Structures are given as structure tokens and as C-alpha cells.
Amino acid sequence: MPYPMISKNVALAAVFTVMHVVTLPLMAQEGKGASAAATGNGPEAAVEQGKAKAIELCQGCHQFKGADQAGTVGPPLLAMKARFPDPAKLRALIYDAQKASKPYTMMPPFGRNGLVSEQDIEHIIAFLYTL
Amino acid sequence: MTREILAVALLAGFGLATGSVAAGPAEDLKVYQAYFEQHFPDFTPEDYTRGMYNFSQDKRAQYEAIMEFPPYEMAVEEGQELFATPFANGNSYSNCFENAGIGIAQTYPRFDAERGKVMTLGMAINDCRVQNGEEPLDVVKGPLVYIEAYMSEAARGKAIDITVPDDPRALAAYEEGKRIYFTRRGPRAFACYHCHWEAAGARIRGNELSPARGQAANFPAYRSKWGEMGSIQRRFKGCMEEFGAKPLKPGGEDMANLEYFHRRLSNGIPLNAPNNRF
């Protein structure tokens, strides 16, 4: 299912709501360091969960505030709201950068290859927008 | 050639590029060398053998301190002894290698016309054993790697010289190694190319990435992480595992072809093996 094709106009809040229902059992199964805040479903919880995922998956290559072992392979994650005002663009990049950016890119196709769930991507975007 | 054009040719349009351009191993090597010269214009041939230690003064200092008493010396001595010890039939390794094995390690892997396939140094050592009625050895660590270490020490400083003879089977093996090198693998979809060409010199987390050119001049190596010696195929396997890909089988034909292609990337670089890595 080509996730990046989802309408750009889908409101973020709506995505959160729907995806929580769909993927809650999966999240419970993973159960990695789930704190009280992180298991909530407000925007702050999304940011926290996104930050945890970003530290797990993004800092290998990207520098960003909160990363303590950041790599230098990819561009630093800064001013993300200004650089990517449309979340659909970020969503597509995280899902499959080979499609959304350059076919030879080193960035893993996180969504396509199941390294993150669609909900994880929304959380990561929520976190990136705080940078 | 810009990074973009090369990357597209090698990865995305790999089949097309090799099918439509009359490129061969000689032309490839020129393109590859130019790529690294462009990215590391100040590198001497010796610098290439220092891999990741070119990019961190701190790690370079630690490496040089360790090299004052290199951890591979026991392996070299043991390898020398093993090399000289006769098999049960009275023959020894010097019956299998020209010049008693001295000054030849830089020419492996070789394409063997008789067998019609690539022979790595490890395969040649095992082949010698089997021809003389002995059991083959593990190709990633242990005694076989000590023999490799000894033979490499006996060729240290000689420029890596991997040839692809004018034989369609040799060319096919080279092309297969090249295809493996540029193939994305595992869920992260990394090809060897990504980390060691495109991102060479950058850091993945806290680790500087060594340029592909020169890597093969340092193996076998004693790695602190292993606490012992290992062959280049051990490193290939570990690398693939580290990013979540299913590794190729050490000792197998794919690994041999990959080693053939990869070591040829270091042609002209002085052999600096055995070596030490963190």
C-alpha cells in the first residue's frame, strides 16, 4: 500500500486518532520503555514517543537536539517546520526516501521495509516539528 | 564524474549501465580511483591504509600507541611456524605457493583458470591442505588466518595487484563481485557502496567510515572488538550483520567474488597487513 499517496490534507490529529485505534495492540506488544506519558495519546506523548524513535533510528546519521551519539552522514535535523511545512513531504521521506528523494539515497526505506509503523512515523514527525 | 552520475550508474541503473557501456575492470578502476582522489585529494597511498584513523585525531593517536606493540605479532609467528610445518605426507605449504609464499599475498585473490573460479588466499591455503590429505580450516579465524597473517607480513609494502585475466569466466566473477558490492541488502537497504564511498569519512553514530579504497590492504587484522585475528571475510560478515542484513557465507563463491572485487579497489595501495583495528 503506497502510504505516501495518502492525501496531503489529512489532518494530523485525525491520523493520530485513527492510527492509535489500529496499532494500539502492536504498540502494547512492543512495550519498549513505555512510561505513563509515553502511553498517553496527547500531542506531548506523541512528541516523546517520536523522540525515542528518532534516538533509536535517526541519530545514527543525523544530528539533532537531544541526540548524544549523532552521526554526520545525513543533514542535521534543524528548523524542520520551516524546511518541511508540509508533513506529507516528511512522511513520504521517512516511509521510502528512495521514492521521495533520490533512488540511490542511503536513507533506509523505514516505512516500506517495516522498520517503523505508520504511527511511529507520525510520532517522529511530531518530534521533528519541535526541532 | 559527479557523485550523482556515478551513484545512479552503480546502483539504480546498474544493469543498464553495465549493459550499455563497454566498461571493463580496467576502466572501472580508473573511475573508482578518480572518485576517491576527488574526495580525499590529500591522501597518499599510505593514508588509504589508515582507513577510519584518517578522520579522528584521537583514534589515530590510540591506534598508533597500540601499534608500538602490535597485537598481531604472535599470529605472524604462529603462522610462520604453521607454514613451515610439514603435512603428514612430508610436503608443506611451500610446495603449493611460489617463492615459498614470500611476497605474493598482495596478488590474492586470483582467478584460477584451471578451476575456473576465484581463489582467495584462504581458499588457496585450504586447497593446499586438501591436496596434501589434510582437513580444510576455518576461513574467518584461527590457524588459517595466522598463515594469512604470516604471508601478508612477508609481502608488507608491496602494492596490491589484483588482476582480472582476459577470460570470460574471470570477467564474470569480477562482475558478480561488483554486483554484490553495489546491491542493497537487509531492511536498511544499504549497499557496501553507501557507507564506504558516499559516506566515507562521515560518522555513523560515533564511528568514522573508512573509504573502500585501502580497506583490503589491512587484512587480516587483529580487532580489539574480536579480541583476536580475523580475515576480511570475517569483517564482511560482521558488517552485514551489524546493519541487519543476512550475511554471505564465508568461504563461499559469493564471498570470494566480493573479496576479488573489493581487494581490487585497493590496487596500487601498499599492503599493510596484518594490521590492527578497534
Side-chain angles (χ1 to χ4, degrees):
Chain A
M1 192 172 66
Y3 182 56
M5 300 307 286
I6 286 175
S7 162
K8 290 176 183 178
N9 299 322
V10 174
L12 214 52
V15 174
F16 280 159
T17 314
V18 172
M19 294 201 169
H20 256 107
V21 174
V22 175
T23 55
L24 256 181
L26 184 74
M27 295 294 291
Q29 244 179 5
E30 287 175 349
K32 272 186 202 162
S35 68
T39 49
N41 55 7
E44 280 173 31
V47 168
E48 278 306 304
Q49 290 178 22
K51 183 178 179 181
K53 277 284 161 197
I55 285 176
E56 178 191 336
L57 296 168
C58 309
Q59 74 161 340
C61 293
H62 298 278
Q63 293 178 308
F64 55 88
K65 196 179 166 208
D68 58 356
Q69 277 202 312
T72 57
V73 169
L77 306 177
L78 283 169
M80 296 300 279
K81 188 92 194 175
R83 291 166 60 210
F84 296 91
D86 181 1
K89 171 87 176 150
L90 268 181
R91 196 176 290 134
L93 267 172
I94 299 169
Y95 187 86
D96 185 354
Q98 288 175 39
K99 242 185 197 167
S101 177
K102 296 163 185 145
Y104 56 84
T105 185
M106 182 172 169
M107 181 157 156
F110 287 102
R112 173 161 60 84
N113 280 2
L115 292 160
V116 292
S117 68
E118 296 185 355
Q119 189 187 36
D120 290 335
I121 296 180
E122 299 311 323
H123 291 162
I124 290 167
I125 293 171
F127 169 65
L128 293 178
Y129 276 168
T130 69
L131 298 173
Chain B
M1 183 179 281
T2 67
R3 174 175 295 199
E4 282 71 21
I5 294 169
L6 185 66
V8 169
L10 294 174
L11 290 162
F14 185 73
L16 276 176
T18 50
S20 59
V21 180
E27 292 80 5
D28 283 355
L29 192 61
K30 277 184 207 150
V31 172
Y32 303 160
Q33 279 179 342
Y35 178 92
F36 289 105
E37 276 162 19
Q38 190 190 332
H39 286 81
F40 306 105
D42 301 332
F43 272 30
T44 64
E46 288 74 22
D47 286 335
Y48 281 102
T49 74
R50 295 187 188 104
M52 66 180 284
Y53 306 123
N54 284 296
F55 309 109
S56 159
Q57 285 190 345
D58 185 37
K59 286 174 190 164
R60 172 76 169 264
Q62 289 179 46
Y63 165 74
E64 282 171 1
I66 291 171
M67 288 297 270
E68 285 174 26
F69 298 96
Y72 52 73
E73 285 191 336
M74 275 169 61
V76 171
E77 281 170 30
E78 213 163 315
Q80 181 167 17
E81 215 175 295
L82 287 164
F83 194 91
T85 307
F87 301 124
N89 68 2
N91 286 341
S92 74
Y93 289 106
S94 36
N95 294 92
C96 304
F97 292 100
E98 74 266 22
N99 200 32
I102 306 290
I104 62 166
Q106 79 284 359
T107 63
Y108 282 89
R110 295 178 181 176
F111 181 77
D112 185 321
E114 226 170 86
R115 291 175 183 78
K117 63 174 186 176
V118 168
M119 295 290 279
T120 63
L121 183 56
M123 287 162 96
I125 291 167
N126 267 340
D127 187 64
C128 179
R129 295 180 59 82
V130 171
Q131 298 292 327
N132 286 286
E134 304 284 333
E135 289 290 314
L137 300 167
D138 187 348
V139 295
V140 300
K141 60 180 177 181
L144 180 140
V145 178
Y146 304 156
I147 296 169
E148 285 184 351
Y150 161 66
M151 293 178 75
S152 300
E153 185 64 62
R156 194 187 292 273
K158 291 195 177 291
I160 305 269
D161 183 17
I162 308 304
T163 56
V164 182
D166 189 15
D167 178 326
R169 298 167 304 168
L171 200 64
Y174 168 84
E175 289 294 339
E176 182 58 13
K178 176 170 152 186
R179 189 192 65 76
I180 290 168
Y181 192 88
F182 291 105
T183 296
R184 292 177 181 273
R185 57 189 73 239
R188 284 179 167 73
F190 292 156
C192 307
Y193 161 85
H194 284 110
C195 289
H196 299 289
W197 291 50
E198 193 163 316
R203 274 199 330 267
I204 291 252
R205 290 190 189 254
N207 300 316
E208 290 77 11
L209 294 162
S210 57
R213 183 157 165 76
Q215 288 173 329
N218 301 294
F219 279 81
Y222 182 99
R223 264 194 109 197
S224 310
K225 185 178 171 178
W226 298 329
E228 58 181 5
M229 299 291 297
S231 65
I232 189 83
Q233 292 196 6
R234 183 176 188 180
R235 189 68 193 90
F236 287 162
K237 179 171 176 279
C239 190
M240 291 171 191
E241 284 168 345
E242 273 161 29
F243 68 84
K246 186 172 174 281
L248 302 176
K249 191 176 164 288
E253 194 177 339
D254 284 348
M255 270 291 199
N257 291 337
L258 174 60
E259 188 179 329
Y260 189 43
F261 176 80
H262 177 257
R263 178 105 144 174
R264 197 166 180 281
L265 290 174
S266 296
N267 264 15
I269 305 294
L271 185 65
N272 193 11
N275 212 309
N276 161 62
R277 288 291 183 268
F278 293 157

